[in-house]
Amino acid sequence: MSAVWFDVEYRDAQVQLRAFEPTPDEVRAVAVQLSSYYNDEHNRAMLTHEEDMSAEEVVEYYTESCERGDRLFLLEQDGVLVGDADFRHFDACSAEYAIMIGARNLQGRGLGRKFTTMLHAWAFRGLGLDRVYVTILPANRPSLRLFEQLGYGPDRSPRARSLIDEESDVTLSVQRSAFEKQHGAMMDGVRFAPRK
Ligand SMILES: CC(C)(COP(=O)(O)OP(=O)(O)OC[C@H]1O[C@@H](n2cnc3c(N)ncnc32)[C@H](O)[C@@H]1OP(=O)(O)O)[C@@H](O)C(=O)NCCC(=O)NCCS
């Protein structure tokens, strides 16, 4: 499990956003809400979860993922939980990323784009990654649009394809320099620091 947990924050005229690596108690406190997000019919299909997850299973999932070295974040808008995101399958200079904006009525309002930019600021500037990958179901138009709009491009390299669940999954990636070029201004407004 990571010894240092991070807080990543961004504020603009409309909204205050926080992504943070939760303690086990913090995961327990939101596990019922997270399980309802995961179990939403649309989210479940897009995330390829085959079965509903109980609150206890959410806690187990977080615990096991952290023990594997994944970096999981809870996402808050103005202090209210709106989803989660993570980096996983690390090698020396890259990782795979995934995100969920849990409430259906909050999807499509720019939160996925803002949280992803915040967390890429942390991954590129804080962790020093050079490339980030995503794997997406071809039917997941919002996700494809989100990552294309952020500057991700098709990647069929062995490393990208090693991350897929199904042969039909779309694999995209973005390099740090390209992301910096497109989003440097917003990244400069992102604050990240170890949690106290
Ligand atoms: C995919 C997801 C993270 C996107 O986050 P979001 O906050 O909904 O997306 P944003 O509002 O930031 O929009 C990003 C782009 O996607 C587009 N988009 C959003 N919802 C869309 C929809 N339902 N259909 C088509 N495009 C959509 C937006 O229009 C925007 O593109 P634009 O700037 O060119 O208009 C979110 O919808 C989600 O969590 N879905 C369920 C779980 C999931 O699919 N996770 C991704 C697994 S790879």
Side-chain angles (χ1 to χ4, degrees):
M1 196 174 293
S2 164
V4 182
W5 289 329
F6 274 82
D7 243 322
V8 184
E9 295 183 342
Y10 176 78
R11 179 193 299 229
D12 64 19
Q14 288 84 40
V15 82
Q16 182 166 349
L17 303 179
R18 177 182 180 222
F20 64 100
E21 293 183 280
T23 64
D25 280 348
E26 287 167 333
V27 174
R28 262 178 235 114
V30 296
V32 169
Q33 178 69 77
L34 274 179
S35 78
S36 83
Y37 287 157
Y38 290 161
N39 299 340
D40 169 90
E41 197 179 344
H42 169 81
N43 293 344
R44 199 174 69 178
M46 293 302 124
L47 297 166
T48 61
H49 292 171
E50 285 176 5
E51 307 215 343
D52 276 0
M53 280 173 89
S54 66
E56 292 73 32
E57 286 167 331
V58 169
V59 174
E60 272 169 40
Y61 162 71
Y62 264 73
T63 307
E64 288 168 11
S65 301
C66 287
E67 283 170 358
R68 266 200 309 272
D70 300 352
R71 307 295 295 264
L72 284 78
F73 288 82
L74 296 180
L75 310 179
E76 286 183 352
Q77 173 182 229
D78 297 324
V80 176
L81 181 80
V82 294
D84 69 357
D86 67 82
F87 293 89
R88 59 183 87 159
H89 297 134
F90 282 89
D91 69 9
C93 57
S94 70
E96 180 185 4
Y97 172 77
I99 178 169
M100 173 194 67
I101 302 301
R104 297 281 285 137
N105 66 348
L106 290 181
Q107 294 174 359
R109 295 183 176 198
L111 285 175
R113 184 175 57 77
K114 286 182 184 169
F115 277 116
T116 297
T117 307
M118 288 166 62
L119 287 169
H120 282 52
W122 171 78
F124 288 137
R125 295 182 174 181
L127 283 187
L129 296 189
D130 187 53
R131 185 173 287 276
V132 178
Y133 298 89
V134 291
T135 65
I136 304 174
L137 286 182
N140 194 345
R141 301 307 307 165
S143 188
L144 287 168
R145 181 73 199 124
L146 169 70
F147 290 104
E148 282 164 3
Q149 183 217 38
L150 283 167
Y152 274 72
D155 185 337
R156 294 191 58 82
S157 65
R159 165 75 165 135
R161 298 309 288 170
S162 74
L163 302 170
I164 61 173
D165 293 322
E166 299 289 337
E167 199 45 50
S168 56
D169 286 351
V170 177
T171 42
L172 309 176
S173 74
V174 71
Q175 194 165 21
R176 174 185 173 155
S177 55
F179 199 89
E180 286 274 359
K181 201 167 171 188
Q182 194 178 342
H183 304 288
M186 179 174 163
M187 291 165 84
D188 289 344
V190 176
R191 300 278 163 260
F192 55 84
R195 296 190 64 189
K196 294 184 187 84

